Amino acid sequence: MLRSSQPLTGPNRKRCREDEMLLGTVLDEGERGFIVDTRSAQAAKQARMTGGGTEPKSSYPQWKRLHRPLERGRPLQESFIKLVEACNDTSINMDRWLSRLESSRWLSHVKAALSTACLAAQCMDREEASVLVHGAEGTDTTLLVTALAQLILDPSCRTLGGFQGLLEREWIEAGHPFHLRCAHSAYSHARLKQEAPLFLLFLDCVWQLSHQFPFSLEFSERLLLTLFDNAYASAYGTFLCNNEKERRVGCLCKVKESTHSLWAWLNQPGEKKKYLNPLYSHNALVIWPSVEPQSIQLWQGLFFRWIRSSQHLDEAWAEIQQLVDAN
């Protein structure tokens, strides 16, 4: 599996021999690969006017392009805001609640992300083909798809350590602009153009996997909630800035010198145990999530956490942990 930004073909359909050679070396003679573009065909075509575009078929004859559009900007942020507002309104009746939940379209975004990740995973697992995933810059929906596909395919990514490595590799080192995307929240009155909850959408999709496969992920919901909190407000430097360059050489941030790593804190023996799933059992198989509407559920542990106590659920998990330890 490969990931990249869009090719810079522009309106004149420029070629890049180096790109063609690079992708050519991925495939042997007679093999084919798939390019999963997370933009619509129309959006990719319009991107030519600003220098972007798509791979010309004639220059990449062994690659088949598949368009699976995923929202990444203002529409996704507005969806998040509508969902949070609906969840916090405790005065609405059932019909009104269901209407507001549907109009937020958040669960549709979750479904679309999981569906696209499944497509990429199926190309690799069932077609035994190489896959290149890209969107516009390659730092938003691209990372969402590649990270989810690896969780589906690779059992090592479902361990606590493997998941941390996945986040470091596919989100942090790959340059997801956390500072811009998580600048405020759904409660902020400032509506920054570049704000969008892509990382939250990823965490929600991971929760869907854990809900459908409760024994297959070594980490618990508590880890996902902690990651959400730290992406928006953290005492650690892991999610600060927009890319590795800013973290390493930024004159103002000096993240590497001035902060501690979230992973170092989570991996302390006393802390680590809090984030483990007591029901975990190693599953070497690929886990294919259902993306049927009935299977995609609202992540109540996150979106209702401020209006509903989790005391009883926490006590139940503690009791399960005690039973596991006793055995």
Side-chain angles (χ1 to χ4, degrees):
M1 178 176 287
L2 310 170
R3 52 174 159 74
S4 72
S5 60
Q6 64 181 320
L8 303 180
T9 57
N12 297 325
R13 306 290 284 173
K14 294 181 293 185
R15 296 179 63 178
C16 179
R17 303 291 184 179
E18 292 81 3
D19 282 356
E20 295 170 17
M21 184 179 300
L22 181 62
L23 289 187
T25 60
V26 173
L27 306 176
D28 293 330
E29 186 176 353
E31 290 184 340
R32 66 170 180 168
F34 294 92
I35 298 173
V36 178
D37 194 325
T38 60
R39 304 166 295 175
S40 66
Q42 182 62 28
K45 185 176 181 180
Q46 291 175 345
R48 292 183 200 166
M49 303 310 298
T50 54
T54 57
E55 295 81 359
K57 293 181 180 179
S58 59
S59 302
Y60 300 87
Q62 292 177 268
W63 293 85
K64 180 179 181 181
R65 187 168 64 251
L66 305 171
H67 288 279
R68 293 296 184 274
L70 298 175
E71 296 288 1
R72 69 185 185 99
R74 186 64 176 270
L76 188 62
Q77 178 70 7
E78 292 295 335
S79 176
F80 176 40
I81 293 170
K82 289 179 181 179
L83 176 60
V84 170
E85 290 176 346
C87 290
N88 287 344
D89 188 351
T90 57
S91 64
I92 56 178
N93 59 30
M94 176 63 76
D95 291 341
R96 180 63 176 157
W97 156 248
L98 293 176
S99 175
R100 292 184 66 175
L101 176 61
E102 181 182 9
S103 65
S104 76
R105 299 194 65 248
W106 181 260
L107 296 183
S108 297
H109 296 309
V110 173
K111 179 183 186 301
L114 285 172
S115 298
T116 306
C118 284
L119 172 66
Q122 287 172 351
C123 289
M124 296 184 67
D125 182 67
R126 298 179 179 176
E127 300 290 333
E128 297 184 346
S130 296
V131 174
L132 168 64
V133 183
H134 70 62
E137 288 81 20
T139 56
D140 288 297
T141 52
T142 300
L143 309 183
L144 175 65
V145 172
T146 57
L148 287 174
Q150 290 177 66
L151 271 174
I152 292 169
L153 293 170
D154 188 354
S156 69
C157 292
R158 301 175 218 142
T159 65
L160 180 59
F163 187 62
Q164 292 176 24
L166 179 72
L167 295 178
E168 189 73 29
R169 180 177 67 251
E170 296 300 315
W171 287 91
I172 298 171
E173 293 178 354
H176 179 66
F178 281 97
H179 177 69
L180 290 174
R181 299 293 183 264
C182 304
H184 292 87
S185 72
Y187 297 101
S188 172
H189 294 293
R191 295 291 176 249
L192 302 183
K193 292 183 178 180
Q194 299 197 58
E195 190 172 3
L198 266 300
F199 187 62
L200 168 58
L201 181 59
F202 167 72
L203 295 177
D204 197 328
C205 290
V206 176
W207 180 84
Q208 303 290 335
L209 289 173
S210 70
H211 186 73
Q212 294 187 27
F213 301 92
F215 305 104
S216 296
L217 277 65
E218 188 184 26
F219 49 89
S220 66
E221 178 187 49
R222 185 171 184 174
L223 176 68
L224 302 178
L225 294 173
T226 299
L227 292 171
F228 166 75
D229 290 339
N230 279 271
Y232 279 91
S234 180
Y236 302 89
T238 302
F239 296 115
L240 291 181
C241 303
N242 293 308
N243 51 56
E244 282 295 278
K245 180 180 179 181
E246 289 185 9
R247 295 185 191 98
R248 293 183 183 275
V249 301
C251 296
L252 298 178
C253 297
K254 295 184 179 179
V255 172
K256 298 296 181 180
E257 300 89 345
S258 305
T259 68
H260 296 283
S261 167
L262 174 64
W263 313 133
W265 173 65
L266 289 178
N267 289 324
Q268 296 178 97
E271 290 294 325
K272 183 176 180 180
K273 189 175 181 179
K274 300 176 183 177
Y275 301 96
L276 294 175
N277 173 13
L279 303 178
Y280 173 69
S281 177
H282 176 73
N283 179 5
L285 302 175
V286 176
I287 54 173
W288 296 111
S290 169
V291 293
E292 294 299 321
Q294 299 90 335
S295 301
I296 306 298
Q297 298 191 22
L298 181 66
W299 185 5
Q300 297 184 32
L302 173 65
F303 294 111
F304 290 157
R305 66 190 293 202
W306 293 281
I307 61 174
R308 190 180 66 182
S309 172
S310 63
Q311 175 185 351
H312 299 301
L313 184 60
D314 293 340
E315 291 174 351
W317 276 109
E319 187 171 343
I320 291 173
Q321 185 66 61
Q322 290 177 358
L323 292 173
V324 172
D325 293 343
N327 294 327

